[in-house]
Amino acid sequence: MFLRRRTDTSLSDEDLVLRIRGGHQASLAVLWDRYAQLLFGVAMKYLKDVDRSKDAVLDLFTVLPERLAKQEVRQFRSWVHTVMRNHCLMELRKAGVPMDRAIEEMPIAGPPVQEEGPLLEADLQRMEAAIEHLDPDQRACIRLFHLERRSYKQVSEQLDMPVEQVRSHLQNGRRNLRIALDQRQDRHEH
Amino acid sequence: MNTDASTPRDDISPELLKQYLRGELDPAGEHRVEQAMDADPLLREAAEGLALPGALAAAEALRAPQRSHWPARLLGGGIVAVVVVLGVLVLRMPDSAREVVLPGSTPVATPETDRPVAADGSAATLPIDGRDSVPALAPGVAMVQAEAFREPTPVQVVPREPAPDRIEPVPARIGDRPVDPAQPTSHTDRSSRRLVFRHGLKLVHPSELYGLRVEGPGIGGQRARMGSADPQPVDRLATDAQPAPIPYLDHMDDVLAAFAAGRWQRAQEGTQVVLDQYPEDVNAQFYNGLAAYELGQDVKARRWLAAAERNTVNSFQEEAAWYGALVVERTEGAEVARPLFERIARTGGFYAERARARK
């Protein structure tokens, strides 16, 4: 008689990975629930094809126990994202997709390497002086999104600019605030 | 909000993301999802893909596959797989251990092996990324395996089957270089990293940074500016507001040309364009820092040289350390810089001799 075991869905990804390494296949179902649709979305972004994206997700989860057994994975979320992205890029290459297209698919925010952490809302709230020195569009976007907690759509409507431009101003504004904070830190240390 | 990367993100579940994409959230909810996307590349890319036509509906089907919703070919393949596997098991089981397997039950990987077996009982390997070899599965078995991720409805315990022998894979080839599966490419292996030289200056080839075969990412020139006194009629560093992306190496070639000519400001502008889009690009970090050093922008020089020095792609580590020490010497004096030069001298690298002379 098969005894059904309930896997705790509140376990961290790392704990689930350890269980899968130990042969606990039911933990794979939890990771499936957490990540299958997200990874499908990632695959769609690159492959632009529903069937190929579905296959990509199934292929990934099919080999996942074996890969986890062979590799040490400290942060499953970023690791599995990188695996899916690399798989998609290889698929595009095999399909003879011109490299420019694959290049253009690269995210504006950067390649899959070590990324900076998020700029916390609390830090932004302490940065009034630094925000005042930003470019006007960046300043407006930062204030509306982070301080007034508006959505992209709301910011876009209020400032009469496309959502993509709002995101770009936010990205550049955050980067400039980080630089300004570093400079302030340097001045303080000197 | 839990920021531990390894714990479940129950605040932005796949369901919440789909609600966002369907426009079902209020502005506060939208902001919450967007804020999470800013910090989470997986969420961000997933949202981009799921926003494509037909993707959301397809994702729903992926999430909760019902047996009747699978394509007929997969069901047919699954039935074949069931029959074959049951036949193998029945033939190989000793009489005393034989158990009745209910019709319609699906073969699952046993708890001991967790290893899927192809419908014909064999296992041929198929390289995925040149480093691993994994068993190739018939579509039907893939479907079965996906279903087996969930707690199955009551099935009989089947005797353990020995794992199939693995066939060594043919190494995949990237560009002209065969990739040995036993030697995974490592961005920390400085000696084996592919470099190019332009105008006598070193660059890490973009294929090493971005995993792409040839040219690396395209660079948009939105931030570049043309100096008013610049005599050159064609200048890819100075572009219109929304230019088409240009190949990475072409862009960096212009940057290094400016650098080699001592046009530090122009070189800095060109590297900044790259950093705006790829802040971890070690080439741009190093040459931006070096240009800042030449321009006397010490704070900026320290920041970008330090970034290049600690970058996981360590091809500029020695150079960045050297110039970083020079900046410290210039801004804080020889005493403060001495330990930095001593460390460089101990490494025995290219700058060791010069560092010893400065101690």
Side-chain angles (χ1 to χ4, degrees):
Chain A
M1 182 73 181
F2 184 83
L3 295 177
R4 184 185 296 265
R5 288 179 292 175
R6 289 187 62 81
T7 303
D8 189 353
T9 56
S10 67
L11 285 176
S12 70
D13 291 348
E14 189 179 67
D15 287 338
L16 291 169
V17 165
L18 284 174
R19 287 189 168 205
I20 291 167
R21 279 210 189 111
H24 190 260
Q25 193 168 4
S27 295
L28 205 54
V30 181
L31 286 181
W32 173 272
D33 286 339
R34 271 183 210 169
Y35 287 105
Q37 292 190 28
L38 297 180
L39 293 171
F40 174 78
V42 172
M44 278 295 294
K45 174 187 152 70
Y46 289 98
L47 302 179
K48 307 277 197 289
D49 181 285
V50 167
D51 287 336
R52 287 171 70 196
S53 300
K54 275 187 184 174
D55 288 344
V57 175
L58 284 174
D59 288 346
L60 189 153
F61 273 84
T62 299
V63 305
L64 198 57
E66 188 160 342
R67 289 194 76 160
L68 291 176
K70 291 199 304 189
Q71 280 181 264
E72 185 185 345
V73 175
R74 285 188 211 151
Q75 290 201 0
F76 178 80
R77 190 176 183 89
S78 55
W79 176 82
V80 78
H81 180 208
T82 301
V83 169
M84 176 55 81
R85 194 191 303 192
N86 288 344
H87 172 85
C88 293
L89 291 176
M90 283 190 60
E91 286 291 305
L92 291 175
R93 220 164 29 230
K94 272 192 241 173
V97 173
M99 194 52 63
D100 282 346
R101 181 187 163 189
I103 290 168
E104 286 163 16
E105 298 295 348
M106 288 198 61
I108 294 171
V113 294
Q114 183 182 357
E115 296 192 14
E116 294 183 32
L119 199 57
L120 299 176
E121 297 258 2
D123 292 330
L124 287 168
Q125 287 164 6
R126 294 193 287 269
M127 277 186 235
E128 278 296 329
I131 293 174
E132 285 304 312
H133 286 92
L134 288 176
D135 167 89
D137 285 338
Q138 292 174 11
R139 181 169 65 238
C141 290
I142 290 281
R143 283 197 178 283
L144 288 172
F145 184 80
H146 286 291
L147 300 186
E148 297 185 25
R149 305 180 78 85
R150 306 283 182 89
S151 67
Y152 288 156
K153 204 179 344 177
Q154 289 179 310
V155 177
S156 163
E157 286 167 2
Q158 184 158 343
L159 299 179
D160 192 27
M161 64 175 66
V163 168
E164 279 308 312
Q165 200 169 355
V166 170
R167 291 174 65 177
S168 175
H169 283 314
L170 284 170
Q171 183 181 344
N172 291 332
R174 283 193 293 264
R175 177 183 54 79
N176 289 333
L177 283 174
R178 283 196 191 93
I179 292 172
L181 283 176
D182 285 348
Q183 287 174 343
R184 283 168 187 270
Q185 183 75 5
D186 284 346
R187 279 200 290 272
H188 177 71
E189 284 172 357
H190 294 160
Chain B
M1 179 169 131
N2 190 341
T3 56
D4 179 358
S6 70
T7 58
R9 271 152 169 75
D10 53 1
D11 49 343
I12 307 296
S13 63
E15 188 53 43
L16 188 62
L17 179 64
K18 287 186 290 181
Q19 286 180 311
Y20 168 78
L21 292 169
R22 287 191 290 257
E24 295 170 0
L25 298 180
D26 61 15
E30 287 181 340
H31 172 85
R32 192 173 142 218
V33 173
E34 287 157 0
Q35 192 181 13
M37 286 198 299
D38 279 347
D40 185 350
L42 170 59
L43 202 63
R44 189 166 57 241
E45 289 204 325
E48 287 183 50
L50 290 173
L52 294 171
L56 273 181
E60 288 286 346
L62 187 69
R63 184 187 174 161
Q66 297 298 320
R67 200 182 299 268
S68 60
H69 290 172
W70 287 101
R73 67 178 176 88
L74 292 180
L75 282 175
I79 291 170
V80 169
V82 167
V83 169
V84 171
V85 172
L86 289 178
V88 168
L89 292 173
V90 167
L91 285 173
R92 296 183 69 163
M93 218 187 307
D95 287 345
S96 60
R98 190 166 301 174
E99 297 188 22
V100 174
V101 180
L102 292 177
S105 65
T106 57
V108 296
T110 64
E112 292 86 349
T113 65
D114 270 354
R115 195 173 294 276
V117 179
D120 63 358
S122 69
T125 58
L126 182 70
I128 298 295
D129 60 5
R131 284 176 287 175
D132 304 320
S133 63
V134 298
L137 302 177
V141 180
M143 178 275 288
V144 167
Q145 193 64 13
E147 290 234 86
F149 296 162
R150 307 189 174 282
E151 293 290 346
T153 50
V155 298
Q156 278 60 43
V157 176
V158 295
R160 176 180 178 171
E161 288 297 322
D165 290 334
R166 290 175 54 177
I167 301 169
E168 287 305 309
V170 174
R173 299 180 72 87
I174 297 176
D176 293 328
R177 295 179 295 142
V179 176
D180 181 358
Q183 295 288 333
T185 55
S186 166
H187 288 304
T188 61
D189 186 359
R190 180 186 165 119
S191 62
S192 65
R193 202 165 290 128
R194 187 175 169 195
L195 304 174
V196 293
F197 288 83
R198 298 291 174 94
H199 307 280
L201 297 167
K202 181 173 74 176
L203 274 181
V204 179
H205 195 279
S207 63
E208 296 281 353
L209 304 180
Y210 303 113
L212 296 173
R213 187 166 57 134
V214 179
E215 294 297 336
I219 305 296
Q222 293 94 329
R223 286 276 313 274
R225 302 280 185 270
M226 172 175 266
S228 57
D230 195 298
Q232 291 186 352
V234 176
D235 188 347
R236 281 177 292 193
L237 287 180
T239 61
D240 297 327
Q242 294 292 333
I246 63 174
Y248 179 95
L249 281 175
D250 287 351
H251 180 84
M252 292 305 293
D253 186 272
D254 291 342
V255 167
L256 295 186
F259 201 95
R263 294 153 73 195
W264 316 119
Q265 185 68 39
R266 295 191 52 73
Q268 190 179 58
E269 287 167 1
T271 52
Q272 192 60 55
V273 168
V274 178
L275 289 170
D276 282 351
Q277 296 169 68
Y278 304 102
E280 285 298 319
D281 186 295
V282 71
N283 294 320
Q285 287 175 343
F286 175 70
Y287 286 109
N288 193 306
L290 200 52
Y293 168 76
E294 297 290 352
L295 289 167
Q297 299 169 355
D298 294 324
V299 171
K300 187 179 273 193
R302 284 182 75 166
R303 171 187 159 89
W304 289 115
L305 290 171
E309 187 181 353
R310 65 172 181 262
N311 196 301
T312 52
V313 179
N314 62 354
S315 297
F316 288 101
Q317 194 173 59
E318 285 184 41
E319 298 91 333
W322 169 252
Y323 285 102
L326 291 179
V327 174
V328 171
E329 186 184 53
R330 185 161 74 189
T331 55
E332 298 183 63
E335 275 304 308
V336 177
R338 177 170 294 128
L340 301 177
F341 289 120
E342 285 173 353
R343 179 161 57 91
I344 294 169
R346 279 196 301 273
T347 62
F350 179 80
Y351 295 97
E353 204 54 51
R354 292 196 230 178
R356 273 190 279 274
R358 285 192 108 85
K359 280 196 297 179

